[in-house]
Each structure stands twice: as C-alpha cells, then as structure tokens.
Amino acid sequence: MTRCSLIVIGTELTRGIIADRHGQLVSKEMTHIGVHMSEIVAIPDDGTITNVLKALKKNNDIIIVTGGLGPTQDDMTRKCIADVFSSALVRDEKCFETLVRRVGEEKALGANEKQAYIPQGFTVMENPNGTAPGFYGSDEGTYVFALPGPPREMEPMFYSSVLPKVKELLDMKDGERYEYSSFITAEARLEELTERYAGIDWGTRFQDYKISLYASSDDRRNVEEAIEALAKEVGPYRLVEGDVTALDILIGTVREKGVMIAAAESCTGGLLSSLLTSKPGSSDYFLGSVVSYDPSVKKGVLGVRGETVERYGVVSDECALEMADGVRRITMADYSVSVTGVAGPDESEGKKVGTVSFGFSGKDRSSCSFTLHFTSWGRDSIRRKASVSAMLFLSAYIKGEDVIKMSKEWTNI
C-alpha cells in the first residue's frame, strides 16, 4: 500500500482564524487513485515542520507540504525540506529570472529572492498564480512535494504537477485529461451527475465563481458525449470547455460586438460591478453601475415607478426590467443588466431566500426580465450565483438569444 501524508502549514490555521481547504482535496484525489492517506497534520509557521517531516518520512512513500514558501522569516519550508532530505539549498536561476519578470530586479534581490531557492536535485513546479514556485524530490524512497499555501496557487499546481507525477510513480496509465468550467451547479450535485457516465475518471475543483471539472479517458468521444449530455441537462452556458470564467465569456462577447455595458444592482450590492472591473481594460466595455439597495434609490435614481414597487415589490420581473432600462438610459450604454433579489438570511416581501429577478435592456432589442430561484448555501452564495448568472445571461442577450427561454432550461441551481 502506498502511504501519503499531508502537512498544512500556517499559524492562521492552527489558531482557527482560517479553515483548511487542502485536506479534503488531497485526501479525495489520493484515495481515488488508491493511495492511503495516513495523516493530515496542521502546524504553525514556527519550524515545527522539521520534526514532523522526520517522523513522517519513516512511514510514508509520499509527503505533500503546503505553505511556508513565501519570502518572510517564518517561511521555513524550503530550508527544512532541504535539511531533512539531505540536500543543499541553491538558487535556481530560471526561478530567479521568472521572479525578476514578475516583481522587478530590485524587489527580486531583496527578501523575495528567497523564493528562488530550491533544494539541489529537486524538480521545480511552476506557479503561474504567484511568485513562489513549488518543487519535489526524493530521499531514501520517500517523495516530498512542496506547494504554496493559498488555494488559488496550490490547487492548480496540485492538479497539473503533483497528481500526474504521483500517477507516474505508481505506474498508472493516465488517460488524456480534459478540463471544463461549470457554473452555478453545486460541487456535490455536479459529482452526482457525473457518476452516471462510466469509463471516465472525473474530478472537480471548487472555486468562488465556478467549478473546474476534469475528465480523464482514453476515449475522447466518450467524454464529449458525456459533456454534451451534462450541458443539456443543466442548461445553456452552464458547462463550457476549458478554464473559463463567466466574466471571460461576457468580455469575449462585448469585445466581439464592440458594445458598452452597464449594470444596476440591489441584492448583489456591487459585487457584479466589482467583477466587471476586475480585469485590466474593463473601461473598454463597462461604463458604470448603480447600486440601488434601497427602494428610494431605485425610484429616485433609476426611475423605477412607485406604483411598480407598491404593486409588485422590488424583487420582481417588473422592477428588474425598469432598473435595466433606467441604468441604460443614465449611462447611455448599448446594453444593461439588472439584479434584484433576496440574499437572506430572511425572506423579503413574502419571497423566499434565493429568489432573484434579472432585467435586460438593449439598444436594438426589446427589454425583458425573469426570475430564478437559487438554492441557498448562505447569503454570499446567492450573491455569487446572481452575479455569475447576470454575466452569462447578459452575454446571451447581447448575442440576440432568447434569455427568457434560456432561463427556463436551467436546472440544478
């Protein structure tokens, strides 16, 4: 039996300030390929790793370490691994060159230079999402993999470098791996849906605004048929090929059409606008937004009629439509989207938590609106789902698609 242990480093973890996300991910994937997870150890940034490494090295074939690869004095992982695995710590010139490109030569020669030092004889794992590379190597039959701690850096590296290497060590035949991006569907539900399709090795990686879905198989056609069936089941725009975000999809559409957009928000409280401006060059397509949290702002700024609010409420198709028309009129945008709903934790206007209305207005299209009912996993989950949905539907609306029909085809939300 191949045995593996995970060391998660971070004083914030051991003090309960943040929760560990790596244990479940590593355990699930390792168990799936037949590796026995013997221990998961959380330790602070105080050098404890040396004694823990020595102890785990005696009884494990694989040790995965996350955290402690930064530039500060308490980031001791690389030095401790080098000592325990009988290796000298040397500057990797390729890593240093990458560091210079990212932070500049002056900063690279300061405390950051530490991040370019790798145990001699170890293999570097590139980190496209941060400045600290990972690395792996072996001593006396035990392999150790060192990865950065932040999930947005650790998780891609685990899937792209660690898992394939472990399969190679186990002499496992690894079918070709395909990546897709899933929106709105909960991870547990997505895994249930994929279990229907035999002959494919599925994997998922949760992220705040999407889930990465991985499919490995020797038969690409089998994967394509499964993905086609899954996409049809959950609805349009919900499952796409590649590492793609909802914002990427919308940006691709607005750039292709050469149009400007605007947004009116209520329950999302500015989250949608924050996402729309999160990438450089957003001023090329985004004019602005109105965060109309209170009904008085919806009426006074966006021009929503008082009788609309009184008769239908602020969470309604009618209000969403007038919000979209209002913000497009104010900003003179080509297209606009509005979001108004109940994020929770309490019901509002007699409407359940997760009820969200969307409105769309366009220079060459009739305005329209509809309401969705999201499953609630808390206030933040509703705000994220509403923002992602708004971007996906706006992209479809700009393309001339029937978004009302499209909304009725969405399931598992």
Side-chain angles (χ1 to χ4, degrees), residues 174-210:
D174 195 10
E176 192 159 358
R177 184 168 172 265
Y178 308 97
E179 181 175 358
Y180 301 86
S181 295
S182 172
F183 305 107
I184 311 301
T185 309
E187 186 175 22
R189 179 56 179 155
L190 185 60
E191 290 180 347
E192 288 178 5
L193 292 173
T194 57
E195 287 175 359
R196 303 175 184 177
Y197 304 97
I200 301 173
D201 184 15
W202 298 98
T204 57
R205 178 166 68 92
F206 174 81
Q207 297 166 76
D208 286 340
Y209 299 100
K210 71 166 189 170

mmCIF file of all heavy atoms in Angstrom, residues 174-210:
data_model
loop_
_atom_site.group_PDB
_atom_site.id
_atom_site.type_symbol
_atom_site.label_atom_id
_atom_site.label_comp_id
_atom_site.label_asym_id
_atom_site.label_seq_id
_atom_site.Cartn_x
_atom_site.Cartn_y
_atom_site.Cartn_z
ATOM 1 N N ASP A 174 -2.583 6.925 -17.314
ATOM 2 C CA ASP A 174 -3.437 8.099 -17.170
ATOM 3 C C ASP A 174 -4.017 8.485 -18.518
ATOM 4 O O ASP A 174 -3.287 8.874 -19.427
ATOM 5 C CB ASP A 174 -2.609 9.258 -16.603
ATOM 6 C CG ASP A 174 -3.491 10.389 -16.092
ATOM 7 O OD1 ASP A 174 -4.710 10.172 -16.019
ATOM 8 O OD2 ASP A 174 -2.949 11.455 -15.776
ATOM 9 N N GLY A 175 -5.337 8.328 -18.647
ATOM 10 C CA GLY A 175 -5.978 8.719 -19.889
ATOM 11 C C GLY A 175 -5.848 10.214 -20.113
ATOM 12 O O GLY A 175 -5.516 10.969 -19.204
ATOM 13 N N GLU A 176 -6.096 10.639 -21.327
ATOM 14 C CA GLU A 176 -5.983 12.061 -21.621
ATOM 15 C C GLU A 176 -6.966 12.846 -20.764
ATOM 16 O O GLU A 176 -8.103 12.429 -20.548
ATOM 17 C CB GLU A 176 -6.247 12.311 -23.104
ATOM 18 C CG GLU A 176 -5.858 13.701 -23.524
ATOM 19 C CD GLU A 176 -5.626 13.809 -25.018
ATOM 20 O OE1 GLU A 176 -5.728 12.782 -25.705
ATOM 21 O OE2 GLU A 176 -5.351 14.929 -25.469
ATOM 22 N N ARG A 177 -6.521 14.000 -20.266
ATOM 23 C CA ARG A 177 -7.300 14.777 -19.305
ATOM 24 C C ARG A 177 -7.883 16.020 -19.974
ATOM 25 O O ARG A 177 -7.167 16.767 -20.626
ATOM 26 C CB ARG A 177 -6.391 15.186 -18.143
ATOM 27 C CG ARG A 177 -7.048 15.921 -16.999
ATOM 28 C CD ARG A 177 -6.042 15.953 -15.867
ATOM 29 N NE ARG A 177 -6.458 16.784 -14.783
ATOM 30 C CZ ARG A 177 -6.102 18.065 -14.634
ATOM 31 N NH1 ARG A 177 -5.336 18.635 -15.536
ATOM 32 N NH2 ARG A 177 -6.502 18.756 -13.603
ATOM 33 N N TYR A 178 -9.194 16.215 -19.790
ATOM 34 C CA TYR A 178 -9.888 17.351 -20.387
ATOM 35 C C TYR A 178 -10.470 18.217 -19.273
ATOM 36 O O TYR A 178 -10.933 17.704 -18.254
ATOM 37 C CB TYR A 178 -10.998 16.867 -21.319
ATOM 38 C CG TYR A 178 -10.514 15.861 -22.340
ATOM 39 C CD1 TYR A 178 -10.666 14.493 -22.127
ATOM 40 C CD2 TYR A 178 -9.880 16.272 -23.517
ATOM 41 C CE1 TYR A 178 -10.204 13.560 -23.050
ATOM 42 C CE2 TYR A 178 -9.416 15.357 -24.441
ATOM 43 C CZ TYR A 178 -9.582 14.001 -24.201
ATOM 44 O OH TYR A 178 -9.120 13.084 -25.112
ATOM 45 N N GLU A 179 -10.444 19.525 -19.486
ATOM 46 C CA GLU A 179 -10.923 20.453 -18.461
ATOM 47 C C GLU A 179 -12.122 21.241 -18.968
ATOM 48 O O GLU A 179 -12.156 21.703 -20.104
ATOM 49 C CB GLU A 179 -9.808 21.418 -18.049
ATOM 50 C CG GLU A 179 -10.232 22.400 -16.959
ATOM 51 C CD GLU A 179 -9.104 23.277 -16.462
ATOM 52 O OE1 GLU A 179 -7.958 23.095 -16.946
ATOM 53 O OE2 GLU A 179 -9.346 24.140 -15.600
ATOM 54 N N TYR A 180 -13.109 21.416 -18.059
ATOM 55 C CA TYR A 180 -14.309 22.183 -18.356
ATOM 56 C C TYR A 180 -14.600 23.105 -17.182
ATOM 57 O O TYR A 180 -14.112 22.899 -16.070
ATOM 58 C CB TYR A 180 -15.499 21.244 -18.600
ATOM 59 C CG TYR A 180 -15.273 20.286 -19.748
ATOM 60 C CD1 TYR A 180 -14.622 19.070 -19.541
ATOM 61 C CD2 TYR A 180 -15.665 20.616 -21.040
ATOM 62 C CE1 TYR A 180 -14.377 18.200 -20.595
ATOM 63 C CE2 TYR A 180 -15.429 19.747 -22.097
ATOM 64 C CZ TYR A 180 -14.780 18.544 -21.866
ATOM 65 O OH TYR A 180 -14.536 17.691 -22.911
ATOM 66 N N SER A 181 -15.396 24.120 -17.427
ATOM 67 C CA SER A 181 -15.796 25.053 -16.377
ATOM 68 C C SER A 181 -17.306 24.970 -16.194
ATOM 69 O O SER A 181 -18.064 25.070 -17.162
ATOM 70 C CB SER A 181 -15.391 26.482 -16.752
ATOM 71 O OG SER A 181 -13.979 26.599 -16.814
ATOM 72 N N SER A 182 -17.716 24.757 -14.943
ATOM 73 C CA SER A 182 -19.130 24.613 -14.614
ATOM 74 C C SER A 182 -19.579 25.806 -13.770
ATOM 75 O O SER A 182 -18.879 26.221 -12.851
ATOM 76 C CB SER A 182 -19.352 23.304 -13.842
ATOM 77 O OG SER A 182 -20.668 23.225 -13.351
ATOM 78 N N PHE A 183 -20.765 26.336 -14.072
ATOM 79 C CA PHE A 183 -21.280 27.499 -13.357
ATOM 80 C C PHE A 183 -22.586 27.176 -12.639
ATOM 81 O O PHE A 183 -23.432 26.467 -13.174
ATOM 82 C CB PHE A 183 -21.505 28.665 -14.327
ATOM 83 C CG PHE A 183 -20.277 29.026 -15.123
ATOM 84 C CD1 PHE A 183 -20.190 28.701 -16.467
ATOM 85 C CD2 PHE A 183 -19.201 29.660 -14.524
ATOM 86 C CE1 PHE A 183 -19.063 29.030 -17.205
ATOM 87 C CE2 PHE A 183 -18.075 29.983 -15.258
ATOM 88 C CZ PHE A 183 -17.993 29.666 -16.598
ATOM 89 N N ILE A 184 -22.714 27.684 -11.445
ATOM 90 C CA ILE A 184 -23.932 27.661 -10.615
ATOM 91 C C ILE A 184 -24.185 26.304 -9.944
ATOM 92 O O ILE A 184 -24.545 26.245 -8.772
ATOM 93 C CB ILE A 184 -25.203 28.076 -11.406
ATOM 94 C CG1 ILE A 184 -24.955 29.375 -12.172
ATOM 95 C CG2 ILE A 184 -26.378 28.236 -10.477
ATOM 96 C CD1 ILE A 184 -24.570 30.558 -11.335
ATOM 97 N N THR A 185 -24.017 25.182 -10.649
ATOM 98 C CA THR A 185 -24.272 23.867 -10.061
ATOM 99 C C THR A 185 -23.362 23.614 -8.867
ATOM 100 O O THR A 185 -22.154 23.833 -8.942
ATOM 101 C CB THR A 185 -24.050 22.746 -11.095
ATOM 102 O OG1 THR A 185 -24.768 23.046 -12.280
ATOM 103 C CG2 THR A 185 -24.516 21.403 -10.548
ATOM 104 N N ALA A 186 -23.924 23.151 -7.758
ATOM 105 C CA ALA A 186 -23.138 22.854 -6.564
ATOM 106 C C ALA A 186 -22.172 21.705 -6.847
ATOM 107 O O ALA A 186 -22.480 20.804 -7.643
ATOM 108 C CB ALA A 186 -24.056 22.491 -5.401
ATOM 109 N N GLU A 187 -21.021 21.704 -6.188
ATOM 110 C CA GLU A 187 -19.999 20.692 -6.452
ATOM 111 C C GLU A 187 -20.518 19.282 -6.175
ATOM 112 O O GLU A 187 -20.292 18.352 -6.964
ATOM 113 C CB GLU A 187 -18.755 20.969 -5.609
ATOM 114 C CG GLU A 187 -17.590 20.038 -5.923
ATOM 115 C CD GLU A 187 -16.331 20.407 -5.163
ATOM 116 O OE1 GLU A 187 -16.432 21.080 -4.119
ATOM 117 O OE2 GLU A 187 -15.241 20.000 -5.601
ATOM 118 N N ALA A 188 -21.226 19.108 -5.048
ATOM 119 C CA ALA A 188 -21.737 17.779 -4.700
ATOM 120 C C ALA A 188 -22.732 17.290 -5.752
ATOM 121 O O ALA A 188 -22.716 16.113 -6.132
ATOM 122 C CB ALA A 188 -22.405 17.814 -3.329
ATOM 123 N N ARG A 189 -23.579 18.189 -6.234
ATOM 124 C CA ARG A 189 -24.556 17.816 -7.251
ATOM 125 C C ARG A 189 -23.865 17.497 -8.564
ATOM 126 O O ARG A 189 -24.241 16.556 -9.274
ATOM 127 C CB ARG A 189 -25.566 18.961 -7.436
ATOM 128 C CG ARG A 189 -26.630 18.686 -8.490
ATOM 129 C CD ARG A 189 -27.384 17.397 -8.210
ATOM 130 N NE ARG A 189 -28.418 17.146 -9.195
ATOM 131 C CZ ARG A 189 -28.901 15.951 -9.493
ATOM 132 N NH1 ARG A 189 -28.422 14.880 -8.852
ATOM 133 N NH2 ARG A 189 -29.839 15.811 -10.388
ATOM 134 N N LEU A 190 -22.839 18.277 -8.912
ATOM 135 C CA LEU A 190 -22.092 18.031 -10.142
ATOM 136 C C LEU A 190 -21.453 16.652 -10.108
ATOM 137 O O LEU A 190 -21.448 15.923 -11.111
ATOM 138 C CB LEU A 190 -21.033 19.118 -10.332
ATOM 139 C CG LEU A 190 -20.231 19.092 -11.638
ATOM 140 C CD1 LEU A 190 -21.149 19.247 -12.841
ATOM 141 C CD2 LEU A 190 -19.174 20.196 -11.632
ATOM 142 N N GLU A 191 -20.910 16.284 -8.957
ATOM 143 C CA GLU A 191 -20.297 14.961 -8.828
ATOM 144 C C GLU A 191 -21.339 13.856 -8.965
ATOM 145 O O GLU A 191 -21.075 12.809 -9.557
ATOM 146 C CB GLU A 191 -19.571 14.857 -7.484
ATOM 147 C CG GLU A 191 -18.322 15.731 -7.410
ATOM 148 C CD GLU A 191 -17.601 15.633 -6.077
ATOM 149 O OE1 GLU A 191 -18.197 15.087 -5.127
ATOM 150 O OE2 GLU A 191 -16.451 16.098 -5.986
ATOM 151 N N GLU A 192 -22.534 14.091 -8.437
ATOM 152 C CA GLU A 192 -23.619 13.114 -8.592
ATOM 153 C C GLU A 192 -23.980 12.927 -10.061
ATOM 154 O O GLU A 192 -24.194 11.804 -10.527
ATOM 155 C CB GLU A 192 -24.863 13.573 -7.817
ATOM 156 C CG GLU A 192 -24.734 13.472 -6.307
ATOM 157 C CD GLU A 192 -25.992 13.999 -5.620
ATOM 158 O OE1 GLU A 192 -26.961 14.335 -6.328
ATOM 159 O OE2 GLU A 192 -25.992 14.081 -4.382
ATOM 160 N N LEU A 193 -24.055 14.033 -10.783
ATOM 161 C CA LEU A 193 -24.422 13.971 -12.198
ATOM 162 C C LEU A 193 -23.375 13.225 -13.019
ATOM 163 O O LEU A 193 -23.711 12.456 -13.930
ATOM 164 C CB LEU A 193 -24.607 15.384 -12.754
ATOM 165 C CG LEU A 193 -25.800 16.187 -12.214
ATOM 166 C CD1 LEU A 193 -25.756 17.618 -12.731
ATOM 167 C CD2 LEU A 193 -27.117 15.527 -12.589
ATOM 168 N N THR A 194 -22.099 13.428 -12.710
ATOM 169 C CA THR A 194 -21.039 12.789 -13.497
ATOM 170 C C THR A 194 -20.949 11.291 -13.224
ATOM 171 O O THR A 194 -20.449 10.538 -14.070
ATOM 172 C CB THR A 194 -19.671 13.438 -13.201
ATOM 173 O OG1 THR A 194 -19.387 13.351 -11.801
ATOM 174 C CG2 THR A 194 -19.658 14.884 -13.634
ATOM 175 N N GLU A 195 -21.420 10.846 -12.064
ATOM 176 C CA GLU A 195 -21.350 9.419 -11.723
ATOM 177 C C GLU A 195 -22.152 8.548 -12.688
ATOM 178 O O GLU A 195 -21.960 7.331 -12.755
ATOM 179 C CB GLU A 195 -21.843 9.204 -10.292
ATOM 180 C CG GLU A 195 -20.859 9.700 -9.234
ATOM 181 C CD GLU A 195 -21.424 9.591 -7.823
ATOM 182 O OE1 GLU A 195 -22.605 9.135 -7.697
ATOM 183 O OE2 GLU A 195 -20.728 9.951 -6.873
ATOM 184 N N ARG A 196 -23.038 9.153 -13.449
ATOM 185 C CA ARG A 196 -23.868 8.389 -14.384
ATOM 186 C C ARG A 196 -23.072 7.883 -15.583
ATOM 187 O O ARG A 196 -23.527 6.988 -16.296
ATOM 188 C CB ARG A 196 -25.017 9.259 -14.900
ATOM 189 C CG ARG A 196 -25.906 9.850 -13.824
ATOM 190 C CD ARG A 196 -26.919 10.779 -14.458
ATOM 191 N NE ARG A 196 -27.756 11.456 -13.476
ATOM 192 C CZ ARG A 196 -28.674 12.366 -13.790
ATOM 193 N NH1 ARG A 196 -28.856 12.677 -15.063
ATOM 194 N NH2 ARG A 196 -29.387 12.944 -12.846
ATOM 195 N N TYR A 197 -21.920 8.472 -15.811
ATOM 196 C CA TYR A 197 -21.183 8.191 -17.041
ATOM 197 C C TYR A 197 -19.951 7.345 -16.745
ATOM 198 O O TYR A 197 -18.970 7.822 -16.163
ATOM 199 C CB TYR A 197 -20.806 9.501 -17.727
ATOM 200 C CG TYR A 197 -22.028 10.361 -17.992
ATOM 201 C CD1 TYR A 197 -22.378 11.377 -17.111
ATOM 202 C CD2 TYR A 197 -22.836 10.118 -19.092
ATOM 203 C CE1 TYR A 197 -23.516 12.145 -17.332
ATOM 204 C CE2 TYR A 197 -23.975 10.875 -19.329
ATOM 205 C CZ TYR A 197 -24.309 11.881 -18.441
ATOM 206 O OH TYR A 197 -25.445 12.630 -18.660
ATOM 207 N N ALA A 198 -20.019 6.088 -17.144
ATOM 208 C CA ALA A 198 -18.943 5.128 -16.869
ATOM 209 C C ALA A 198 -17.790 5.311 -17.861
ATOM 210 O O ALA A 198 -17.945 5.901 -18.929
ATOM 211 C CB ALA A 198 -19.494 3.709 -16.951
ATOM 212 N N GLY A 199 -16.641 4.794 -17.466
ATOM 213 C CA GLY A 199 -15.486 4.834 -18.354
ATOM 214 C C GLY A 199 -14.746 6.150 -18.354
ATOM 215 O O GLY A 199 -13.845 6.367 -19.157
ATOM 216 N N ILE A 200 -15.137 7.051 -17.448
ATOM 217 C CA ILE A 200 -14.494 8.365 -17.355
ATOM 218 C C ILE A 200 -14.078 8.605 -15.909
ATOM 219 O O ILE A 200 -14.857 8.364 -14.980
ATOM 220 C CB ILE A 200 -15.450 9.491 -17.810
ATOM 221 C CG1 ILE A 200 -15.891 9.266 -19.256
ATOM 222 C CG2 ILE A 200 -14.774 10.856 -17.664
ATOM 223 C CD1 ILE A 200 -16.967 10.228 -19.723
ATOM 224 N N ASP A 201 -12.854 9.081 -15.726
ATOM 225 C CA ASP A 201 -12.356 9.423 -14.397
ATOM 226 C C ASP A 201 -12.604 10.915 -14.177
ATOM 227 O O ASP A 201 -11.958 11.750 -14.795
ATOM 228 C CB ASP A 201 -10.854 9.109 -14.316
ATOM 229 C CG ASP A 201 -10.294 9.351 -12.933
ATOM 230 O OD1 ASP A 201 -11.096 9.488 -11.991
ATOM 231 O OD2 ASP A 201 -9.056 9.406 -12.796
ATOM 232 N N TRP A 202 -13.572 11.243 -13.288
ATOM 233 C CA TRP A 202 -13.972 12.631 -13.082
ATOM 234 C C TRP A 202 -13.264 13.238 -11.874
ATOM 235 O O TRP A 202 -12.950 12.551 -10.908
ATOM 236 C CB TRP A 202 -15.480 12.734 -12.842
ATOM 237 C CG TRP A 202 -16.340 12.260 -13.975
ATOM 238 C CD1 TRP A 202 -16.940 11.033 -14.091
ATOM 239 C CD2 TRP A 202 -16.698 12.991 -15.152
ATOM 240 N NE1 TRP A 202 -17.664 10.961 -15.255
ATOM 241 C CE2 TRP A 202 -17.541 12.152 -15.929
ATOM 242 C CE3 TRP A 202 -16.427 14.272 -15.608
ATOM 243 C CZ2 TRP A 202 -18.085 12.549 -17.142
ATOM 244 C CZ3 TRP A 202 -16.968 14.677 -16.821
ATOM 245 C CH2 TRP A 202 -17.790 13.829 -17.578
ATOM 246 N N GLY A 203 -13.063 14.536 -11.917
ATOM 247 C CA GLY A 203 -12.521 15.263 -10.783
ATOM 248 C C GLY A 203 -13.085 16.676 -10.783
ATOM 249 O O GLY A 203 -13.426 17.225 -11.836
ATOM 250 N N THR A 204 -13.220 17.284 -9.609
ATOM 251 C CA THR A 204 -13.735 18.641 -9.517
ATOM 252 C C THR A 204 -12.826 19.491 -8.630
ATOM 253 O O THR A 204 -12.156 18.978 -7.740
ATOM 254 C CB THR A 204 -15.163 18.683 -8.933
ATOM 255 O OG1 THR A 204 -15.161 18.060 -7.637
ATOM 256 C CG2 THR A 204 -16.148 17.963 -9.839
ATOM 257 N N ARG A 205 -12.826 20.784 -8.891
ATOM 258 C CA ARG A 205 -12.093 21.741 -8.048
ATOM 259 C C ARG A 205 -12.965 22.963 -7.851
ATOM 260 O O ARG A 205 -13.274 23.686 -8.781
ATOM 261 C CB ARG A 205 -10.761 22.127 -8.691
ATOM 262 C CG ARG A 205 -9.973 23.163 -7.891
ATOM 263 C CD ARG A 205 -8.544 23.255 -8.372
ATOM 264 N NE ARG A 205 -8.410 23.812 -9.696
ATOM 265 C CZ ARG A 205 -8.216 25.118 -9.963
ATOM 266 N NH1 ARG A 205 -8.159 25.973 -8.973
ATOM 267 N NH2 ARG A 205 -8.076 25.549 -11.193
ATOM 268 N N PHE A 206 -13.367 23.183 -6.591
ATOM 269 C CA PHE A 206 -14.259 24.300 -6.270
ATOM 270 C C PHE A 206 -13.511 25.619 -6.275
ATOM 271 O O PHE A 206 -12.410 25.732 -5.742
ATOM 272 C CB PHE A 206 -14.900 24.078 -4.897
ATOM 273 C CG PHE A 206 -15.726 25.249 -4.431
ATOM 274 C CD1 PHE A 206 -17.016 25.410 -4.896
ATOM 275 C CD2 PHE A 206 -15.199 26.182 -3.548
ATOM 276 C CE1 PHE A 206 -17.781 26.502 -4.485
ATOM 277 C CE2 PHE A 206 -15.950 27.269 -3.133
ATOM 278 C CZ PHE A 206 -17.243 27.432 -3.598
ATOM 279 N N GLN A 207 -14.121 26.629 -6.897
ATOM 280 C CA GLN A 207 -13.631 27.995 -6.848
ATOM 281 C C GLN A 207 -14.823 28.905 -6.559
ATOM 282 O O GLN A 207 -15.965 28.480 -6.653
ATOM 283 C CB GLN A 207 -12.956 28.367 -8.173
ATOM 284 C CG GLN A 207 -11.722 27.504 -8.455
ATOM 285 C CD GLN A 207 -11.247 27.622 -9.890
ATOM 286 O OE1 GLN A 207 -10.648 28.603 -10.253
ATOM 287 N NE2 GLN A 207 -11.528 26.614 -10.695
ATOM 288 N N ASP A 208 -14.556 30.141 -6.170
ATOM 289 C CA ASP A 208 -15.641 31.016 -5.730
ATOM 290 C C ASP A 208 -16.717 31.227 -6.781
ATOM 291 O O ASP A 208 -17.901 31.323 -6.454
ATOM 292 C CB ASP A 208 -15.074 32.379 -5.311
ATOM 293 C CG ASP A 208 -14.361 32.314 -3.973
ATOM 294 O OD1 ASP A 208 -14.628 31.362 -3.215
ATOM 295 O OD2 ASP A 208 -13.542 33.208 -3.681
ATOM 296 N N TYR A 209 -16.340 31.341 -8.045
ATOM 297 C CA TYR A 209 -17.307 31.696 -9.066
ATOM 298 C C TYR A 209 -17.488 30.638 -10.146
ATOM 299 O O TYR A 209 -18.177 30.878 -11.135
ATOM 300 C CB TYR A 209 -16.904 33.027 -9.708
ATOM 301 C CG TYR A 209 -16.884 34.150 -8.695
ATOM 302 C CD1 TYR A 209 -15.691 34.587 -8.129
ATOM 303 C CD2 TYR A 209 -18.072 34.736 -8.261
ATOM 304 C CE1 TYR A 209 -15.676 35.601 -7.175
ATOM 305 C CE2 TYR A 209 -18.066 35.745 -7.312
ATOM 306 C CZ TYR A 209 -16.864 36.173 -6.769
ATOM 307 O OH TYR A 209 -16.859 37.167 -5.823
ATOM 308 N N LYS A 210 -16.887 29.486 -9.948
ATOM 309 C CA LYS A 210 -17.086 28.375 -10.882
ATOM 310 C C LYS A 210 -16.514 27.115 -10.256
ATOM 311 O O LYS A 210 -15.867 27.150 -9.207
ATOM 312 C CB LYS A 210 -16.397 28.652 -12.213
ATOM 313 C CG LYS A 210 -14.882 28.597 -12.146
ATOM 314 C CD LYS A 210 -14.271 28.531 -13.541
ATOM 315 C CE LYS A 210 -12.783 28.243 -13.455
ATOM 316 N NZ LYS A 210 -12.194 27.934 -14.756
#
